[in-house]
């Protein structure tokens, strides 16, 4: 099988690490040619050298000299700033892994949608911010989007070639996060270090906080809506603390198929990177149901986790609301991590920004529209954040 080249956006992050692991396990099938990072020049330089990449781009322009210095004498090209990221995305690649965190990943993800390419999409915020526009652009360009998020990857694999008309609904599972069994009072006093303790995965800070608030599952419902083209009412969430079943498809005849695997991002990653033929996994990545049992399922508690309810409302409303919700959440999570907002303030700020949004804003038609909505919503969130109910005293 031919060697496939990979461009890795978000190369220094948690998903980036999973991708690097899977590529390192399959050197005869995969090779990382280009890496993109955000701000950490030293970490990106190390990743570029370790993976044998030919080009490294850092989004933060001011880190350019440090990156160039760290790569001096290696023969690896480098650049910094928006134009360098765009250059990286345009370089030849069979597969582009989109694993930048947040709406910051939207522009590069869209630019990566070139004819014949496979995009392994971890950056769910791209679809939350501009789902219709991204899916339309992929179809127009002849690029294929494969979901790397483990729930969507499981659903994608379970679905196979079944038509949409065969499906009654889809269920995404959630671990319930570190506060699953906490009282509302205890959750109200949660500190950033509590929220960062995900029970099953070591992930970036933003998605870890989203998992603790269950906003992550709400964003994933919106992602699923655009990936699979289902109506909002056909999508559902179940809390499943063991995270062995990642997704369930209920067919119209009552059959239910479950997508299962150990909770390890490298499983979904291997599926996406093995797009032209499955890759072999090491023995530790195979599921032993006897060891994993018992498996339990429960309904999410929207009272204690209101962020999920807000995301479901935004999914139902459609138009620009998912993008507004996402922007407000990014501001709120950053404020929580910086000690400027209490944990319940995340959902409260998101709710306030969504309520203050101009009525009837349509869905973004392109990246520029989505970025404008994102910008306005962040400004509204920042201004509300400075007001009394949100200030941490
Ligand atoms: N982690 C998981 O298990 C998991 C599972 C499913 C889906 N996802 C999704 O995958 C995405 C990444 O999650 P993560 O946990 O891997 O996050 P992470 O560990 O925080 O890594 C984020 C990566 O994006 C880079 N980055 C940040 N801002 C950037 C910018 N403006 N331009 C270019 N690169 C930028 C970071 O570089 P610096 O460190 O230099 O800033 C880092 O390489 C998120 O959308 C998340 O929802 C993650």
């Amino acid at each position: 099988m031919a060697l496939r080249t990979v461009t890795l956006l978000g190369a220094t992050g948690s998903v980036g690490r999973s991708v690097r692991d899977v590529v390192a396990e399959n050197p005869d099938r995969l090779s990382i040619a280009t890496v993109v990072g955000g701000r950490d020049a030293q970490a990106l330089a190390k990743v570029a050298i370790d993976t044998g990449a030919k080009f490294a781009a850092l989004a933060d322009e001011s880190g350019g000299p440090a990156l160039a210095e760290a790569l001096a004498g290696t023969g690896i090209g480098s650049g910094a700033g928006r134009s360098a990221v765009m250059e990286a995305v345009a370089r030849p690649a069979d597969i582009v892994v989109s694993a930048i965190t947040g709406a910051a990943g939207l522009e590069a993800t869209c630019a990566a949608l070139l004819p014949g390419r496979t995009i392994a999409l971890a950056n769910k915020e791209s679809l939350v911010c501009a789902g219709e526009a991204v899916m339309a652009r992929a179809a127009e360009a002849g690029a294929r989007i494969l979901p790397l998020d483990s729930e969507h990857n499981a659903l994608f694999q379970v679905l196979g070639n079944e038509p949409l008309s065969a499906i009654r609904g889809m269920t995404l599972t959630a671990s319930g996060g570190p506060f699953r069994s906490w009282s509302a009072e205890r959750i109200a006093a949660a500190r950033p270090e509590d929220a960062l303790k995900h029970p099953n995965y070591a992930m970036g800070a933003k998605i870890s906080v989203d998992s603790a608030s269950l906003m992550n599952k709400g964003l994933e419902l919106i992602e699923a809506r655009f990936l699979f083209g289902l109506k909002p009412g056909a999508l559902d969430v179940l809390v499943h603390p063991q995270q062995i079943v990642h997704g369930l498809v209920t067919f119209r005849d009552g059959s239910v198929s479950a997508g299962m695997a150990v909770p390890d991002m490298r499983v979904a990653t291997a599926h996406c990177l093995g797009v032209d033929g499955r890759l072999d996994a090491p023995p530790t990545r195979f599921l032993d149901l006897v060891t994993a049992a018992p498996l339990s399922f429960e309904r999410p508690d929207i009272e204690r986790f209101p962020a999920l309810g807000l995301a479901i409302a935004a999914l139902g409303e459609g138009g620009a609301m998912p993008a507004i919700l996402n922007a407000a959440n990014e501001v709120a999570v950053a404020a929580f991590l910086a000690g400027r907002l209490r944990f319940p303030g995340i959902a409260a700020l998101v709710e306030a920004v969504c309520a203050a949004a101009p009525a009837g804003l349509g869905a973004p038609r392109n990246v520029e529209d989505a970025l404008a909505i994102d910008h306005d919503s962040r400004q509204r969130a920042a201004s509300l954040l400075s007001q009394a109910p949100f200030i941490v005293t």
Side-chain angles (χ1 to χ4, degrees):
M1 223 166 268
L3 190 73
R4 294 175 76 87
T5 51
V6 178
T7 290
L8 181 49
L9 312 177
T12 53
S14 156
V15 173
R17 195 179 324 117
S18 296
V19 172
R20 289 187 271 126
D21 284 352
V22 171
V23 171
E25 288 161 8
N26 296 277
D28 51 333
R29 297 274 303 275
L30 298 159
S31 156
I32 294 178
T34 305
V35 290
V36 172
R39 275 189 303 269
D40 190 338
Q42 300 304 331
L44 185 65
K46 181 168 180 344
V47 164
I49 294 167
D50 290 350
T51 57
K54 297 194 166 44
F55 187 75
L58 195 70
D60 176 13
E61 197 151 9
S62 68
L67 180 64
E69 193 185 329
L71 291 175
T74 62
I76 302 170
S78 73
R82 181 182 173 275
S83 61
V85 173
M86 289 302 137
E87 182 189 339
V89 169
R91 289 171 77 93
D94 298 307
I95 304 172
V96 177
V97 179
S98 163
I100 294 171
T101 192
L106 173 63
E107 196 179 13
T109 301
C110 270
L113 295 168
L114 297 176
R117 268 196 179 165
T118 297
I119 311 297
L121 185 72
N123 176 245
K124 65 197 79 182
E125 294 91 345
S126 290
L127 288 183
V128 174
C129 291
E132 282 165 29
V134 171
M135 295 309 287
R137 183 146 167 182
E140 212 176 273
R144 180 180 192 200
I145 295 183
L146 290 182
L148 205 159
D149 225 342
S150 48
E151 294 77 5
H152 306 74
N153 186 272
L155 291 165
F156 179 87
Q157 294 198 49
V158 163
L159 211 50
N161 291 323
E162 293 278 359
L164 257 190
S165 57
I167 300 161
R168 184 163 189 270
M170 283 185 180
T171 303
L172 284 77
T173 60
S175 70
F179 307 150
R180 182 177 64 88
S181 57
W182 288 27
S183 66
E185 293 69 32
R186 197 171 164 208
I187 293 173
R191 296 156 307 165
E193 54 269 37
D194 301 319
L196 293 173
K197 278 186 206 141
H198 192 275
N200 301 326
Y201 289 100
M203 306 185 289
K206 193 261 178 185
I207 184 176
S208 296
V209 176
D210 285 350
S211 297
S213 69
L214 292 199
M215 176 60 91
N216 183 51
K217 215 44 58 179
L219 299 179
E220 287 183 5
L221 285 173
I222 300 170
E223 178 185 13
R225 189 237 178 292
F226 292 113
L227 271 175
F228 301 114
L230 285 180
K231 294 207 167 69
L235 294 161
D236 189 19
V237 172
L238 273 183
V239 173
H240 167 46
Q242 300 80 17
Q243 286 196 292
I244 297 297
V245 174
H246 299 283
L248 297 150
V249 177
T250 301
F251 294 97
R252 56 192 293 176
D253 59 7
S255 307
V256 179
S257 295
M260 298 196 279
V262 292
D264 184 327
M265 276 305 290
R266 289 171 295 190
V267 176
T269 301
H271 172 257
C272 290
L273 298 185
V275 60
D276 55 353
R278 299 246 180 200
L279 303 169
D280 288 321
T284 50
R285 233 166 279 159
F286 287 91
L287 174 62
D288 175 354
L289 271 175
V290 175
T291 315
L295 303 185
S296 59
F297 299 89
E298 62 202 43
R299 302 230 170 270
D301 179 351
I302 307 272
E303 296 288 318
R304 280 184 306 134
F305 299 99
L308 177 59
L310 295 171
I312 291 172
L315 168 69
E317 183 160 342
M321 199 49 87
I324 294 166
L325 170 106
N326 182 69
N329 182 56
E330 289 196 26
V331 172
V333 170
F336 169 69
L337 287 171
R340 294 181 57 216
L341 195 61
R342 289 204 179 91
F343 190 77
I346 297 175
L349 182 63
V350 171
E351 185 172 18
V353 173
C354 291
L361 265 187
R365 285 158 302 167
N366 48 42
V367 173
E368 293 71 31
D369 267 5
L371 291 179
I373 294 165
D374 181 73
H375 176 77
D376 288 353
S377 308
R378 278 170 198 269
Q379 283 199 324
R380 203 164 291 120
S383 136
L384 282 167
L385 188 57
S386 62
Q387 292 172 24
F390 298 109
I391 295 170
V392 174
T393 49

